[in-house]
Amino acid sequence: MTRKEPPPLTPDGHYVVIDGRRWRATDPGVPADAGSRLRVHLMAARRAVAAARRAQDPGAERAARDRVHRAKVALGERGTPWWEQSAEERHARWGDGLAALDA
């Protein structure tokens, strides 16, 4: 499998542009190992959303969507913008996210 080119960033580096739409970029300060683990959790949660929808299980869907949200917050893609957080707040954000998702 070949890896696709990353989407272009806005000049300030805060957003990626996909199909002409801006999306908040992942915090570049997230360490590689933590970022990798968070992306594994994110993709597993997205698959769980799809499975819950196919099973028509609203409770499981809500739980899976909550996990998606937790992973995206930890990655800096939701919540307080990472460029407005101190280094300590950023570290706590991805550390707390991993702790919750690993539990």
Side-chain angles (χ1 to χ4, degrees):
M1 179 185 335
T2 60
R3 190 167 256 212
K4 294 194 311 187
E5 289 290 316
L9 291 170
T10 57
D12 60 11
H14 296 168
Y15 300 92
V16 295
V17 180
I18 301 171
D19 294 330
R21 187 168 177 190
R22 286 184 338 160
W23 299 90
R24 191 177 315 162
T26 297
D27 180 352
V30 176
D33 62 323
S36 177
R37 288 174 52 209
L38 287 166
R39 283 186 291 280
V40 166
H41 281 295
L42 174 60
M43 297 315 295
R46 285 178 168 166
R47 286 189 300 274
V49 168
R53 288 181 56 126
R54 282 191 303 274
Q56 298 181 353
D57 184 342
E61 183 180 351
R62 178 74 269 148
R65 287 186 182 280
D66 289 345
R67 288 182 20 232
V68 167
H69 181 72
R70 170 67 80 169
K72 290 186 81 56
V73 168
L75 286 164
E77 297 175 12
R78 291 187 183 158
T80 303
W82 49 265
W83 57 89
E84 294 178 3
Q85 294 179 321
S86 69
E88 294 79 22
E89 290 169 322
R90 291 166 75 186
H91 186 272
R93 185 194 69 238
W94 70 71
D96 293 348
L98 275 173
L101 291 163
D102 284 342

